[in-house]
Amino acid sequence: MPELRTDRLLLRRWRESDLEPWAAMNADPEVREHLGELLTREQSDATVALMQAEFDERGFGWWALEARETGEFIGRAGLDEVGEDMPFAGVDVGWRLIRSAWGHGFATEAALACLAFGFEALGLPEVVASTTVNNLRSQAVMRRIGMTRDPADDFEDPSVPVGPLRQCVLYRTPAEMPTGYTARRDTTASSPKTSGVGRPSDGTANSTP
């Protein structure tokens, strides 16, 4: 798994020590507001195992997110293949941060690093992002990283029961859209693979940054 570094963040492989704070995030109603039900510790741990396996198979996926100044685990960010049951296809950029990390620009910084990796290392022609129609904070991050929304692309998430989380918005950015950012990555890592077929780990919607 290649590591990505920004001025303030390290996007890295998951560690055993990440499991407890990740589980706390997944049991936090505010973090899960736009994602659905809270997860048990067992369910939360299982998502990490799945994220690791998918990254190893495909060469991209979800990184653990660490604040470089403190070494604290603050969430996840990454790229994921859109699920086959969705009304659109492609690779999705996403993020989820602990509440104490909200409002500091970390989601924007991590997302830009992921976009740079997707376009430069993977050669993706486009990256998409989706969230619930009411998740205005994540939509603001999508606009800040240069993504745009066409209301005609808005959709109902078929994996979500009828309710306030089912109606979603879709943002896009093409490879020719300059992100103004180049991620620093570990050049000793193996080359990414893009042939694997996967589904989003624990939902496609992005959490409030």
Side-chain angles (χ1 to χ4, degrees), residues 9 14 18-28 30-32 35 65-67 70-77 95-107 137 207-209:
L9 301 172
W14 292 78
D18 300 329
L19 295 178
E20 184 173 345
W22 174 246
M25 286 177 59
N26 287 318
D28 185 331
E30 288 191 62
V31 173
R32 299 286 304 180
L35 296 168
L65 197 57
E66 177 182 307
T70 62
E72 179 188 7
F73 170 86
I74 62 170
R76 78 171 189 181
W95 49 86
R96 190 182 310 168
L97 277 63
I98 60 173
R99 277 185 293 150
S100 62
W102 294 3
H104 300 286
F106 290 136
R137 289 173 65 104
S207 176
T208 304

Side-chain angles (χ1 to χ4, degrees), residues 84-98:
E84 294 179 349
D85 56 346
M86 291 296 168
F88 57 94
V91 173
D92 179 270
V93 62
W95 49 86
R96 190 182 310 168
L97 277 63
I98 60 173

Side-chain angles (χ1 to χ4, degrees), residues 11 18 50 57 59 62 64 72 75 83 89 103 124 131 148 160 174 179 188 202:
L11 286 73
D18 300 329
L50 177 60
E57 177 187 352
W62 297 103
E72 179 188 7
L124 298 175
T131 190
T148 57
V160 176
T179 64
T188 63
D202 185 27

Side-chain angles (χ1 to χ4, degrees), residues 82 86-93 126-133 139 142-143 147-156 167-173 204 206:
V82 174
M86 291 296 168
F88 57 94
V91 173
D92 179 270
V93 62
E126 178 187 65
V127 173
V128 301
S130 63
T131 190
T132 61
V133 69
Q139 291 182 52
M142 294 171 194
R143 291 191 295 272
M147 307 189 90
T148 57
R149 172 192 174 195
D150 181 346
D153 289 334
D154 291 357
F155 67 99
E156 291 190 350
Q167 189 63 40
C168 295
V169 297
L170 181 68
Y171 281 72
R172 302 176 184 270
T173 185
T204 58
N206 293 307

